[in-house]
Amino acid sequence: MATDDTADLIDKAAANLGLTIAPEWKPNVQMFFEVARGMARMIESTNAVTAAEAAPVFTPRSSE
Amino acid sequence: MSTLHSFASARTIANAVLRGETSAEEITRAALDRVAEQDGAIGAFTDITAERALEEAKAVDRARAAGAALGPLAGVPYAVKNLYGVTGLATRAGSKINAADPPAHADALLVSRMKAAGAVLLGALNMGEYAYDFTGENAHYGPSRNPLDPTRMTGGSSGGSAAAVAAGFVPVSLGSDTNGSIRVPAAFCGLYGLKPTYGRLPRTGTFPFCDSLDHLGPFARSVEDLALTYDALQGHDASDPVCARRPVQKTSPEIAKGGDGLRIAVAGGYFRNDAEPGALAALDWAAKTVGAVDEIDVPQVAEARAAAFLITNAEGSALHLERLRKRPADFDPDTRDRFIAGAMIPASWYVSAQRFRRIFESTMAELFERYDIILAPSAPCRAPKLGQKTIVLGGREVPLRANMGIYTQPISFVGLPVAAVPVRESDELPYGIQVIAKPWHEHHCLRIAAVLEKASAARG
C-alpha cells in the first residue's frame, strides 16, 4: 500500500472510530501504522494464519 | 534514625525487626525521611503513603510485642508501580487522565499479600504512561532518573520501581512487565528483577495494559530479596482468569543450590546482532561463569517480537479507545500516536499474531527439551541519556523507544519466566542479562541468578 493510501486509510478509520487526529499528530500515527504493517507482513510470511490455534483459548469456568 | 544503613537488605531488616534490634516504625521513619530528602532529584515516587506506612509499621511492632508470628517481610519498606491499586489513591497508571479517577477502594491483591507478609507500603511509583514505554520518561510527572547517573534513563515502564530500589529508598518494589518493563529497568539500574511465568502471579486490582502479555513481578538488590518477595506474592486467584491453578513453589530454599544439573545455553543469532560490544561481553562473561558452552540460534525470534508488538498495539489501543476519543490531547504524546495507530489495526493482523504465539511457544518448548536455561541480553545497550530519541545499533541509527525491548519482547511473548541479572564492571554503568527458563521454573532462573551474583561479587 502506498503512503498516500495509508494517509487516506487513517483519515477514514479515524472517522469510523470517532477519533480526532490533530494535523501535527498525523505523521507519527502514519509512521506507527506503517511499522505495524511491516510487523504484520513478517507474521503473514510464516504459516501462522492456518497452522495454529490462536493463543488466547477460552476456558469456561464452573463453580463445581 | 535506624541503625541499619539505607541499602540494608529486606532479609536483614526483617531479621532485625524479628529480633527486636530495631522497630518497624524506626525503619519506616528512616525510609520516609530518605524519600523526602532525596526523591526530588530522582523522581521515583508519585504518591507517598506516610500515614499508612506508619500504621502498618506500628501494627508489625504491636504484633511482635504481643508475641505473634511475624511475616517474612516484617517491617520491610516497599513501594509499587502506580498501576497497582492502593486504597485511597487514584490508580494513575502513569497518566494524567486516570489521576482524576476516584481513589481505589481496595488494594491490588499483591499489595494485600505484601501487607500480610509484614511489608510496609511507602507509596506509589512513577512509570511510563499506561506502561507503553521502555524509557521511564513521563510527560506528566517528569522522568524517573537513574540513581547510578541521574542524567540517564531508568528504563521503563517500571522506571520508578527500579529507581526507588537503586536509590536505596526501599530494598524491594513491585512492577509490571508486558514486553520488558521489569527487565529493561533492572538492567539500566543495576538490579535484579523477576518476570515470572505468564499466569503465575494474579493481576487482580492492577490497571491493565495488554491482557495477553501482562505480568507482575518484583525488583530487588539481591537474589535473596527477590526470592523472598516473590515467595510472598505467589498463590492462585480466580478473579484473574489468566492466573494458573499452580501450587506455591517457594524459591528461597532453592537459590543456594547452584547450577549443578542445569543444562545452560546462550542465545546467539538475533540476540547478538544489534547489541553493543559491552552487552555481548557481559553475556559472554555470564556464559563462562555458569559453564554454558552451546550457543543456539532461536528460530523466528524477529517474528515473535513482531507478533508481540502487534498484540500489544492492538490490545492496548482497544483498552484506551474511549480515552483516545474524548481526551487525546491529555495523553503523553509519546504514547498517544502509537495508541491511535493501534486502534486501526485490522483484526486479521492481531489474530495472526496470536496464532504465531502458539507456534513460537512450540519452538521454545523444543529448545527447553534440550536445555534448562537460556541466557540472553536484557537490552542492547547501557542506560541512554534522558531525552535521547535515537540510538545506534548494529551500525544503524534507530528510534530508541522502539528498540530497547528487542531482546525482552520475544521472551515475554510466550510467557517464559526470566530473572534479570545486572552485570557491572567497577564503576561503569551496568548491562543486563536475561536468565530464561521453561514455564513454571522460576527457581531455575533464581538459582542461576544467584550463581552470577556470587561471581559478580567476587569480581568486585
Side-chain angles (χ1 to χ4, degrees), chain B residues 124-150:
Chain B
L125 297 162
N126 204 356
M127 59 177 281
E129 187 180 63
Y130 293 129
Y132 209 176
D133 169 59
F134 282 123
T135 66
E137 295 180 328
N138 185 301
H140 314 300
Y141 305 108
S144 48
R145 296 175 180 275
N146 193 322
L148 301 177
D149 176 350

mmCIF file with all atom_site columns, all heavy atoms in Angstrom, chain B residues 124-150:
data_model
loop_
_atom_site.group_PDB
_atom_site.id
_atom_site.type_symbol
_atom_site.label_atom_id
_atom_site.label_alt_id
_atom_site.label_comp_id
_atom_site.label_asym_id
_atom_site.label_entity_id
_atom_site.label_seq_id
_atom_site.pdbx_PDB_ins_code
_atom_site.Cartn_x
_atom_site.Cartn_y
_atom_site.Cartn_z
_atom_site.occupancy
_atom_site.B_iso_or_equiv
_atom_site.pdbx_formal_charge
_atom_site.auth_seq_id
_atom_site.auth_comp_id
_atom_site.auth_asym_id
_atom_site.auth_atom_id
_atom_site.pdbx_PDB_model_num
ATOM 1   N N   . ALA B 1 124 ? 3.310  4.983  45.894 1.00 0.00 ? 124 ALA B N   1
ATOM 2   C CA  . ALA B 1 124 ? 3.180  4.541  44.503 1.00 0.00 ? 124 ALA B CA  1
ATOM 3   C C   . ALA B 1 124 ? 4.254  5.212  43.655 1.00 0.00 ? 124 ALA B C   1
ATOM 4   O O   . ALA B 1 124 ? 4.666  6.343  43.921 1.00 0.00 ? 124 ALA B O   1
ATOM 5   C CB  . ALA B 1 124 ? 1.788  4.878  43.981 1.00 0.00 ? 124 ALA B CB  1
ATOM 6   N N   . LEU B 1 125 ? 4.674  4.503  42.624 1.00 0.00 ? 125 LEU B N   1
ATOM 7   C CA  . LEU B 1 125 ? 5.898  4.868  41.887 1.00 0.00 ? 125 LEU B CA  1
ATOM 8   C C   . LEU B 1 125 ? 5.622  5.291  40.455 1.00 0.00 ? 125 LEU B C   1
ATOM 9   O O   . LEU B 1 125 ? 4.723  4.765  39.789 1.00 0.00 ? 125 LEU B O   1
ATOM 10  C CB  . LEU B 1 125 ? 6.856  3.678  41.905 1.00 0.00 ? 125 LEU B CB  1
ATOM 11  C CG  . LEU B 1 125 ? 7.332  3.274  43.313 1.00 0.00 ? 125 LEU B CG  1
ATOM 12  C CD1 . LEU B 1 125 ? 7.910  1.868  43.302 1.00 0.00 ? 125 LEU B CD1 1
ATOM 13  C CD2 . LEU B 1 125 ? 8.342  4.268  43.851 1.00 0.00 ? 125 LEU B CD2 1
ATOM 14  N N   . ASN B 1 126 ? 6.452  6.194  40.000 1.00 0.00 ? 126 ASN B N   1
ATOM 15  C CA  . ASN B 1 126 ? 6.393  6.741  38.649 1.00 0.00 ? 126 ASN B CA  1
ATOM 16  C C   . ASN B 1 126 ? 6.523  5.618  37.603 1.00 0.00 ? 126 ASN B C   1
ATOM 17  O O   . ASN B 1 126 ? 7.164  4.589  37.851 1.00 0.00 ? 126 ASN B O   1
ATOM 18  C CB  . ASN B 1 126 ? 7.559  7.720  38.496 1.00 0.00 ? 126 ASN B CB  1
ATOM 19  C CG  . ASN B 1 126 ? 7.331  8.765  37.427 1.00 0.00 ? 126 ASN B CG  1
ATOM 20  O OD1 . ASN B 1 126 ? 6.329  8.755  36.721 1.00 0.00 ? 126 ASN B OD1 1
ATOM 21  N ND2 . ASN B 1 126 ? 8.278  9.677  37.306 1.00 0.00 ? 126 ASN B ND2 1
ATOM 22  N N   . MET B 1 127 ? 5.983  5.872  36.437 1.00 0.00 ? 127 MET B N   1
ATOM 23  C CA  . MET B 1 127 ? 6.055  4.879  35.354 1.00 0.00 ? 127 MET B CA  1
ATOM 24  C C   . MET B 1 127 ? 5.769  5.574  34.028 1.00 0.00 ? 127 MET B C   1
ATOM 25  O O   . MET B 1 127 ? 5.206  6.661  33.992 1.00 0.00 ? 127 MET B O   1
ATOM 26  C CB  . MET B 1 127 ? 5.029  3.759  35.574 1.00 0.00 ? 127 MET B CB  1
ATOM 27  C CG  . MET B 1 127 ? 3.581  4.250  35.654 1.00 0.00 ? 127 MET B CG  1
ATOM 28  S SD  . MET B 1 127 ? 2.381  2.905  35.837 1.00 0.00 ? 127 MET B SD  1
ATOM 29  C CE  . MET B 1 127 ? 2.285  2.317  34.143 1.00 0.00 ? 127 MET B CE  1
ATOM 30  N N   . GLY B 1 128 ? 6.138  4.927  32.942 1.00 0.00 ? 128 GLY B N   1
ATOM 31  C CA  . GLY B 1 128 ? 5.767  5.419  31.621 1.00 0.00 ? 128 GLY B CA  1
ATOM 32  C C   . GLY B 1 128 ? 4.261  5.311  31.447 1.00 0.00 ? 128 GLY B C   1
ATOM 33  O O   . GLY B 1 128 ? 3.630  4.395  31.966 1.00 0.00 ? 128 GLY B O   1
ATOM 34  N N   . GLU B 1 129 ? 3.677  6.279  30.722 1.00 0.00 ? 129 GLU B N   1
ATOM 35  C CA  . GLU B 1 129 ? 2.221  6.335  30.636 1.00 0.00 ? 129 GLU B CA  1
ATOM 36  C C   . GLU B 1 129 ? 1.625  5.035  30.117 1.00 0.00 ? 129 GLU B C   1
ATOM 37  O O   . GLU B 1 129 ? 2.007  4.531  29.049 1.00 0.00 ? 129 GLU B O   1
ATOM 38  C CB  . GLU B 1 129 ? 1.779  7.494  29.722 1.00 0.00 ? 129 GLU B CB  1
ATOM 39  C CG  . GLU B 1 129 ? 0.267  7.674  29.760 1.00 0.00 ? 129 GLU B CG  1
ATOM 40  C CD  . GLU B 1 129 ? -0.209 8.810  28.880 1.00 0.00 ? 129 GLU B CD  1
ATOM 41  O OE1 . GLU B 1 129 ? -0.010 8.732  27.645 1.00 0.00 ? 129 GLU B OE1 1
ATOM 42  O OE2 . GLU B 1 129 ? -0.772 9.777  29.399 1.00 0.00 ? 129 GLU B OE2 1
ATOM 43  N N   . TYR B 1 130 ? 0.653  4.536  30.884 1.00 0.00 ? 130 TYR B N   1
ATOM 44  C CA  . TYR B 1 130 ? -0.090 3.323  30.553 1.00 0.00 ? 130 TYR B CA  1
ATOM 45  C C   . TYR B 1 130 ? 0.827  2.149  30.228 1.00 0.00 ? 130 TYR B C   1
ATOM 46  O O   . TYR B 1 130 ? 0.448  1.226  29.505 1.00 0.00 ? 130 TYR B O   1
ATOM 47  C CB  . TYR B 1 130 ? -1.084 3.587  29.409 1.00 0.00 ? 130 TYR B CB  1
ATOM 48  C CG  . TYR B 1 130 ? -2.213 4.521  29.794 1.00 0.00 ? 130 TYR B CG  1
ATOM 49  C CD1 . TYR B 1 130 ? -2.524 5.629  29.017 1.00 0.00 ? 130 TYR B CD1 1
ATOM 50  C CD2 . TYR B 1 130 ? -2.951 4.295  30.951 1.00 0.00 ? 130 TYR B CD2 1
ATOM 51  C CE1 . TYR B 1 130 ? -3.558 6.485  29.374 1.00 0.00 ? 130 TYR B CE1 1
ATOM 52  C CE2 . TYR B 1 130 ? -3.988 5.157  31.314 1.00 0.00 ? 130 TYR B CE2 1
ATOM 53  C CZ  . TYR B 1 130 ? -4.282 6.240  30.528 1.00 0.00 ? 130 TYR B CZ  1
ATOM 54  O OH  . TYR B 1 130 ? -5.312 7.092  30.891 1.00 0.00 ? 130 TYR B OH  1
ATOM 55  N N   . ALA B 1 131 ? 2.059  2.226  30.739 1.00 0.00 ? 131 ALA B N   1
ATOM 56  C CA  . ALA B 1 131 ? 3.048  1.140  30.612 1.00 0.00 ? 131 ALA B CA  1
ATOM 57  C C   . ALA B 1 131 ? 3.551  0.942  29.176 1.00 0.00 ? 131 ALA B C   1
ATOM 58  O O   . ALA B 1 131 ? 4.249  -0.029 28.895 1.00 0.00 ? 131 ALA B O   1
ATOM 59  C CB  . ALA B 1 131 ? 2.513  -0.179 31.180 1.00 0.00 ? 131 ALA B CB  1
ATOM 60  N N   . TYR B 1 132 ? 3.228  1.882  28.293 1.00 0.00 ? 132 TYR B N   1
ATOM 61  C CA  . TYR B 1 132 ? 3.657  1.747  26.886 1.00 0.00 ? 132 TYR B CA  1
ATOM 62  C C   . TYR B 1 132 ? 4.990  2.473  26.730 1.00 0.00 ? 132 TYR B C   1
ATOM 63  O O   . TYR B 1 132 ? 5.065  3.535  26.097 1.00 0.00 ? 132 TYR B O   1
ATOM 64  C CB  . TYR B 1 132 ? 2.589  2.344  25.974 1.00 0.00 ? 132 TYR B CB  1
ATOM 65  C CG  . TYR B 1 132 ? 2.495  1.720  24.598 1.00 0.00 ? 132 TYR B CG  1
ATOM 66  C CD1 . TYR B 1 132 ? 1.507  2.120  23.703 1.00 0.00 ? 132 TYR B CD1 1
ATOM 67  C CD2 . TYR B 1 132 ? 3.364  0.722  24.176 1.00 0.00 ? 132 TYR B CD2 1
ATOM 68  C CE1 . TYR B 1 132 ? 1.387  1.554  22.440 1.00 0.00 ? 132 TYR B CE1 1
ATOM 69  C CE2 . TYR B 1 132 ? 3.254  0.148  22.923 1.00 0.00 ? 132 TYR B CE2 1
ATOM 70  C CZ  . TYR B 1 132 ? 2.258  0.567  22.062 1.00 0.00 ? 132 TYR B CZ  1
ATOM 71  O OH  . TYR B 1 132 ? 2.148  -0.003 20.814 1.00 0.00 ? 132 TYR B OH  1
ATOM 72  N N   . ASP B 1 133 ? 6.042  1.902  27.277 1.00 0.00 ? 133 ASP B N   1
ATOM 73  C CA  . ASP B 1 133 ? 7.268  2.676  27.423 1.00 0.00 ? 133 ASP B CA  1
ATOM 74  C C   . ASP B 1 133 ? 8.436  1.784  27.805 1.00 0.00 ? 133 ASP B C   1
ATOM 75  O O   . ASP B 1 133 ? 8.271  0.819  28.542 1.00 0.00 ? 133 ASP B O   1
ATOM 76  C CB  . ASP B 1 133 ? 7.046  3.715  28.550 1.00 0.00 ? 133 ASP B CB  1
ATOM 77  C CG  . ASP B 1 133 ? 8.326  4.408  28.968 1.00 0.00 ? 133 ASP B CG  1
ATOM 78  O OD1 . ASP B 1 133 ? 8.948  5.024  28.106 1.00 0.00 ? 133 ASP B OD1 1
ATOM 79  O OD2 . ASP B 1 133 ? 8.685  4.314  30.154 1.00 0.00 ? 133 ASP B OD2 1
ATOM 80  N N   . PHE B 1 134 ? 9.619  2.126  27.288 1.00 0.00 ? 134 PHE B N   1
ATOM 81  C CA  . PHE B 1 134 ? 10.858 1.470  27.728 1.00 0.00 ? 134 PHE B CA  1
ATOM 82  C C   . PHE B 1 134 ? 11.845 2.461  28.347 1.00 0.00 ? 134 PHE B C   1
ATOM 83  O O   . PHE B 1 134 ? 12.982 2.092  28.632 1.00 0.00 ? 134 PHE B O   1
ATOM 84  C CB  . PHE B 1 134 ? 11.555 0.790  26.548 1.00 0.00 ? 134 PHE B CB  1
ATOM 85  C CG  . PHE B 1 134 ? 10.940 -0.526 26.140 1.00 0.00 ? 134 PHE B CG  1
ATOM 86  C CD1 . PHE B 1 134 ? 10.486 -0.732 24.850 1.00 0.00 ? 134 PHE B CD1 1
ATOM 87  C CD2 . PHE B 1 134 ? 10.842 -1.568 27.041 1.00 0.00 ? 134 PHE B CD2 1
ATOM 88  C CE1 . PHE B 1 134 ? 9.930  -1.938 24.463 1.00 0.00 ? 134 PHE B CE1 1
ATOM 89  C CE2 . PHE B 1 134 ? 10.287 -2.786 26.668 1.00 0.00 ? 134 PHE B CE2 1
ATOM 90  C CZ  . PHE B 1 134 ? 9.826  -2.965 25.373 1.00 0.00 ? 134 PHE B CZ  1
ATOM 91  N N   . THR B 1 135 ? 11.443 3.732  28.536 1.00 0.00 ? 135 THR B N   1
ATOM 92  C CA  . THR B 1 135 ? 12.431 4.746  28.930 1.00 0.00 ? 135 THR B CA  1
ATOM 93  C C   . THR B 1 135 ? 12.360 5.178  30.397 1.00 0.00 ? 135 THR B C   1
ATOM 94  O O   . THR B 1 135 ? 13.364 5.597  30.963 1.00 0.00 ? 135 THR B O   1
ATOM 95  C CB  . THR B 1 135 ? 12.237 6.030  28.084 1.00 0.00 ? 135 THR B CB  1
ATOM 96  O OG1 . THR B 1 135 ? 10.977 6.620  28.415 1.00 0.00 ? 135 THR B OG1 1
ATOM 97  C CG2 . THR B 1 135 ? 12.296 5.727  26.590 1.00 0.00 ? 135 THR B CG2 1
ATOM 98  N N   . GLY B 1 136 ? 11.164 5.143  30.995 1.00 0.00 ? 136 GLY B N   1
ATOM 99  C CA  . GLY B 1 136 ? 10.971 5.721  32.327 1.00 0.00 ? 136 GLY B CA  1
ATOM 100 C C   . GLY B 1 136 ? 10.677 7.207  32.266 1.00 0.00 ? 136 GLY B C   1
ATOM 101 O O   . GLY B 1 136 ? 10.544 7.860  33.307 1.00 0.00 ? 136 GLY B O   1
ATOM 102 N N   . GLU B 1 137 ? 10.562 7.751  31.073 1.00 0.00 ? 137 GLU B N   1
ATOM 103 C CA  . GLU B 1 137 ? 10.197 9.164  30.940 1.00 0.00 ? 137 GLU B CA  1
ATOM 104 C C   . GLU B 1 137 ? 8.673  9.292  30.980 1.00 0.00 ? 137 GLU B C   1
ATOM 105 O O   . GLU B 1 137 ? 7.951  8.363  30.624 1.00 0.00 ? 137 GLU B O   1
ATOM 106 C CB  . GLU B 1 137 ? 10.744 9.727  29.629 1.00 0.00 ? 137 GLU B CB  1
ATOM 107 C CG  . GLU B 1 137 ? 12.275 9.739  29.606 1.00 0.00 ? 137 GLU B CG  1
ATOM 108 C CD  . GLU B 1 137 ? 12.862 10.297 28.325 1.00 0.00 ? 137 GLU B CD  1
ATOM 109 O OE1 . GLU B 1 137 ? 12.238 10.137 27.254 1.00 0.00 ? 137 GLU B OE1 1
ATOM 110 O OE2 . GLU B 1 137 ? 13.937 10.884 28.388 1.00 0.00 ? 137 GLU B OE2 1
ATOM 111 N N   . ASN B 1 138 ? 8.207  10.481 31.412 1.00 0.00 ? 138 ASN B N   1
ATOM 112 C CA  . ASN B 1 138 ? 6.776  10.695 31.523 1.00 0.00 ? 138 ASN B CA  1
ATOM 113 C C   . ASN B 1 138 ? 6.495  12.190 31.368 1.00 0.00 ? 138 ASN B C   1
ATOM 114 O O   . ASN B 1 138 ? 7.052  13.000 32.109 1.00 0.00 ? 138 ASN B O   1
ATOM 115 C CB  . ASN B 1 138 ? 6.279  10.182 32.890 1.00 0.00 ? 138 ASN B CB  1
ATOM 116 C CG  . ASN B 1 138 ? 4.775  10.265 33.025 1.00 0.00 ? 138 ASN B CG  1
ATOM 117 O OD1 . ASN B 1 138 ? 4.184  11.335 32.917 1.00 0.00 ? 138 ASN B OD1 1
ATOM 118 N ND2 . ASN B 1 138 ? 4.152  9.122  33.260 1.00 0.00 ? 138 ASN B ND2 1
ATOM 119 N N   . ALA B 1 139 ? 5.636  12.529 30.398 1.00 0.00 ? 139 ALA B N   1
ATOM 120 C CA  . ALA B 1 139 ? 5.376  13.937 30.093 1.00 0.00 ? 139 ALA B CA  1
ATOM 121 C C   . ALA B 1 139 ? 4.624  14.633 31.225 1.00 0.00 ? 139 ALA B C   1
ATOM 122 O O   . ALA B 1 139 ? 4.701  15.858 31.348 1.00 0.00 ? 139 ALA B O   1
ATOM 123 C CB  . ALA B 1 139 ? 4.563  14.042 28.802 1.00 0.00 ? 139 ALA B CB  1
ATOM 124 N N   . HIS B 1 140 ? 3.907  13.880 32.043 1.00 0.00 ? 140 HIS B N   1
ATOM 125 C CA  . HIS B 1 140 ? 3.080  14.488 33.093 1.00 0.00 ? 140 HIS B CA  1
ATOM 126 C C   . HIS B 1 140 ? 3.817  14.635 34.423 1.00 0.00 ? 140 HIS B C   1
ATOM 127 O O   . HIS B 1 140 ? 3.643  15.614 35.125 1.00 0.00 ? 140 HIS B O   1
ATOM 128 C CB  . HIS B 1 140 ? 1.823  13.654 33.324 1.00 0.00 ? 140 HIS B CB  1
ATOM 129 C CG  . HIS B 1 140 ? 1.124  13.247 32.077 1.00 0.00 ? 140 HIS B CG  1
ATOM 130 N ND1 . HIS B 1 140 ? 0.618  14.157 31.177 1.00 0.00 ? 140 HIS B ND1 1
ATOM 131 C CD2 . HIS B 1 140 ? 0.867  12.009 31.554 1.00 0.00 ? 140 HIS B CD2 1
ATOM 132 C CE1 . HIS B 1 140 ? 0.058  13.505 30.166 1.00 0.00 ? 140 HIS B CE1 1
ATOM 133 N NE2 . HIS B 1 140 ? 0.202  12.204 30.366 1.00 0.00 ? 140 HIS B NE2 1
ATOM 134 N N   . TYR B 1 141 ? 4.595  13.660 34.785 1.00 0.00 ? 141 TYR B N   1
ATOM 135 C CA  . TYR B 1 141 ? 5.202  13.604 36.126 1.00 0.00 ? 141 TYR B CA  1
ATOM 136 C C   . TYR B 1 141 ? 6.720  13.726 36.079 1.00 0.00 ? 141 TYR B C   1
ATOM 137 O O   . TYR B 1 141 ? 7.377  13.606 37.114 1.00 0.00 ? 141 TYR B O   1
ATOM 138 C CB  . TYR B 1 141 ? 4.786  12.300 36.830 1.00 0.00 ? 141 TYR B CB  1
ATOM 139 C CG  . TYR B 1 141 ? 3.291  12.148 36.876 1.00 0.00 ? 141 TYR B CG  1
ATOM 140 C CD1 . TYR B 1 141 ? 2.634  11.211 36.078 1.00 0.00 ? 141 TYR B CD1 1
ATOM 141 C CD2 . TYR B 1 141 ? 2.517  12.994 37.674 1.00 0.00 ? 141 TYR B CD2 1
ATOM 142 C CE1 . TYR B 1 141 ? 1.251  11.099 36.086 1.00 0.00 ? 141 TYR B CE1 1
ATOM 143 C CE2 . TYR B 1 141 ? 1.134  12.889 37.681 1.00 0.00 ? 141 TYR B CE2 1
ATOM 144 C CZ  . TYR B 1 141 ? 0.500  11.939 36.887 1.00 0.00 ? 141 TYR B CZ  1
ATOM 145 O OH  . TYR B 1 141 ? -0.869 11.863 36.896 1.00 0.00 ? 141 TYR B OH  1
ATOM 146 N N   . GLY B 1 142 ? 7.264  13.948 34.915 1.00 0.00 ? 142 GLY B N   1
ATOM 147 C CA  . GLY B 1 142 ? 8.714  14.017 34.785 1.00 0.00 ? 142 GLY B CA  1
ATOM 148 C C   . GLY B 1 142 ? 9.303  12.615 34.733 1.00 0.00 ? 142 GLY B C   1
ATOM 149 O O   . GLY B 1 142 ? 8.634  11.626 35.029 1.00 0.00 ? 142 GLY B O   1
ATOM 150 N N   . PRO B 1 143 ? 10.570 12.519 34.374 1.00 0.00 ? 143 PRO B N   1
ATOM 151 C CA  . PRO B 1 143 ? 11.177 11.186 34.265 1.00 0.00 ? 143 PRO B CA  1
ATOM 152 C C   . PRO B 1 143 ? 11.544 10.630 35.637 1.00 0.00 ? 143 PRO B C   1
ATOM 153 O O   . PRO B 1 143 ? 11.801 11.390 36.578 1.00 0.00 ? 143 PRO B O   1
ATOM 154 C CB  . PRO B 1 143 ? 12.455 11.469 33.467 1.00 0.00 ? 143 PRO B CB  1
ATOM 155 C CG  . PRO B 1 143 ? 12.830 12.864 33.869 1.00 0.00 ? 143 PRO B CG  1
ATOM 156 C CD  . PRO B 1 143 ? 11.515 13.591 34.048 1.00 0.00 ? 143 PRO B CD  1
ATOM 157 N N   . SER B 1 144 ? 11.583 9.326  35.747 1.00 0.00 ? 144 SER B N   1
ATOM 158 C CA  . SER B 1 144 ? 12.330 8.733  36.850 1.00 0.00 ? 144 SER B CA  1
ATOM 159 C C   . SER B 1 144 ? 13.791 8.757  36.386 1.00 0.00 ? 144 SER B C   1
ATOM 160 O O   . SER B 1 144 ? 14.092 8.440  35.230 1.00 0.00 ? 144 SER B O   1
ATOM 161 C CB  . SER B 1 144 ? 11.859 7.305  37.134 1.00 0.00 ? 144 SER B CB  1
ATOM 162 O OG  . SER B 1 144 ? 11.776 6.551  35.954 1.00 0.00 ? 144 SER B OG  1
ATOM 163 N N   . ARG B 1 145 ? 14.667 9.205  37.285 1.00 0.00 ? 145 ARG B N   1
ATOM 164 C CA  . ARG B 1 145 ? 16.091 9.344  36.928 1.00 0.00 ? 145 ARG B CA  1
ATOM 165 C C   . ARG B 1 145 ? 16.884 8.178  37.477 1.00 0.00 ? 145 ARG B C   1
ATOM 166 O O   . ARG B 1 145 ? 16.605 7.691  38.576 1.00 0.00 ? 145 ARG B O   1
ATOM 167 C CB  . ARG B 1 145 ? 16.638 10.658 37.491 1.00 0.00 ? 145 ARG B CB  1
ATOM 168 C CG  . ARG B 1 145 ? 15.965 11.877 36.893 1.00 0.00 ? 145 ARG B CG  1
ATOM 169 C CD  . ARG B 1 145 ? 16.425 13.167 37.543 1.00 0.00 ? 145 ARG B CD  1
ATOM 170 N NE  . ARG B 1 145 ? 15.743 14.309 36.942 1.00 0.00 ? 145 ARG B NE  1
ATOM 171 C CZ  . ARG B 1 145 ? 16.159 14.905 35.827 1.00 0.00 ? 145 ARG B CZ  1
ATOM 172 N NH1 . ARG B 1 145 ? 17.259 14.482 35.223 1.00 0.00 ? 145 ARG B NH1 1
ATOM 173 N NH2 . ARG B 1 145 ? 15.491 15.915 35.318 1.00 0.00 ? 145 ARG B NH2 1
ATOM 174 N N   . ASN B 1 146 ? 17.870 7.771  36.733 1.00 0.00 ? 146 ASN B N   1
ATOM 175 C CA  . ASN B 1 146 ? 18.671 6.608  37.126 1.00 0.00 ? 146 ASN B CA  1
ATOM 176 C C   . ASN B 1 146 ? 19.581 6.984  38.298 1.00 0.00 ? 146 ASN B C   1
ATOM 177 O O   . ASN B 1 146 ? 20.435 7.862  38.152 1.00 0.00 ? 146 ASN B O   1
ATOM 178 C CB  . ASN B 1 146 ? 19.507 6.147  35.934 1.00 0.00 ? 146 ASN B CB  1
ATOM 179 C CG  . ASN B 1 146 ? 20.120 4.791  36.147 1.00 0.00 ? 146 ASN B CG  1
ATOM 180 O OD1 . ASN B 1 146 ? 20.549 4.470  37.262 1.00 0.00 ? 146 ASN B OD1 1
ATOM 181 N ND2 . ASN B 1 146 ? 20.164 3.992  35.104 1.00 0.00 ? 146 ASN B ND2 1
ATOM 182 N N   . PRO B 1 147 ? 19.420 6.362  39.452 1.00 0.00 ? 147 PRO B N   1
ATOM 183 C CA  . PRO B 1 147 ? 20.257 6.724  40.599 1.00 0.00 ? 147 PRO B CA  1
ATOM 184 C C   . PRO B 1 147 ? 21.751 6.500  40.370 1.00 0.00 ? 147 PRO B C   1
ATOM 185 O O   . PRO B 1 147 ? 22.577 7.125  41.042 1.00 0.00 ? 147 PRO B O   1
ATOM 186 C CB  . PRO B 1 147 ? 19.740 5.815  41.718 1.00 0.00 ? 147 PRO B CB  1
ATOM 187 C CG  . PRO B 1 147 ? 18.326 5.550  41.333 1.00 0.00 ? 147 PRO B CG  1
ATOM 188 C CD  . PRO B 1 147 ? 18.356 5.431  39.824 1.00 0.00 ? 147 PRO B CD  1
ATOM 189 N N   . LEU B 1 148 ? 22.097 5.646  39.411 1.00 0.00 ? 148 LEU B N   1
ATOM 190 C CA  . LEU B 1 148 ? 23.525 5.425  39.123 1.00 0.00 ? 148 LEU B CA  1
ATOM 191 C C   . LEU B 1 148 ? 24.115 6.600  38.352 1.00 0.00 ? 148 LEU B C   1
ATOM 192 O O   . LEU B 1 148 ? 25.326 6.826  38.364 1.00 0.00 ? 148 LEU B O   1
ATOM 193 C CB  . LEU B 1 148 ? 23.706 4.133  38.312 1.00 0.00 ? 148 LEU B CB  1
ATOM 194 C CG  . LEU B 1 148 ? 23.182 2.857  38.976 1.00 0.00 ? 148 LEU B CG  1
ATOM 195 C CD1 . LEU B 1 148 ? 23.368 1.669  38.041 1.00 0.00 ? 148 LEU B CD1 1
ATOM 196 C CD2 . LEU B 1 148 ? 23.866 2.614  40.307 1.00 0.00 ? 148 LEU B CD2 1
ATOM 197 N N   . ASP B 1 149 ? 23.282 7.338  37.656 1.00 0.00 ? 149 ASP B N   1
ATOM 198 C CA  . ASP B 1 149 ? 23.666 8.542  36.913 1.00 0.00 ? 149 ASP B CA  1
ATOM 199 C C   . ASP B 1 149 ? 22.369 9.280  36.560 1.00 0.00 ? 149 ASP B C   1
ATOM 200 O O   . ASP B 1 149 ? 21.687 8.907  35.594 1.00 0.00 ? 149 ASP B O   1
ATOM 201 C CB  . ASP B 1 149 ? 24.434 8.163  35.631 1.00 0.00 ? 149 ASP B CB  1
ATOM 202 C CG  . ASP B 1 149 ? 24.769 9.393  34.784 1.00 0.00 ? 149 ASP B CG  1
ATOM 203 O OD1 . ASP B 1 149 ? 24.253 10.496 35.095 1.00 0.00 ? 149 ASP B OD1 1
ATOM 204 O OD2 . ASP B 1 149 ? 25.531 9.247  33.815 1.00 0.00 ? 149 ASP B OD2 1
ATOM 205 N N   . PRO B 1 150 ? 22.008 10.286 37.345 1.00 0.00 ? 150 PRO B N   1
ATOM 206 C CA  . PRO B 1 150 ? 20.692 10.939 37.172 1.00 0.00 ? 150 PRO B CA  1
ATOM 207 C C   . PRO B 1 150 ? 20.506 11.662 35.842 1.00 0.00 ? 150 PRO B C   1
ATOM 208 O O   . PRO B 1 150 ? 19.419 12.154 35.572 1.00 0.00 ? 150 PRO B O   1
ATOM 209 C CB  . PRO B 1 150 ? 20.636 11.924 38.344 1.00 0.00 ? 150 PRO B CB  1
ATOM 210 C CG  . PRO B 1 150 ? 21.581 11.385 39.352 1.00 0.00 ? 150 PRO B CG  1
ATOM 211 C CD  . PRO B 1 150 ? 22.696 10.754 38.560 1.00 0.00 ? 150 PRO B CD  1
#
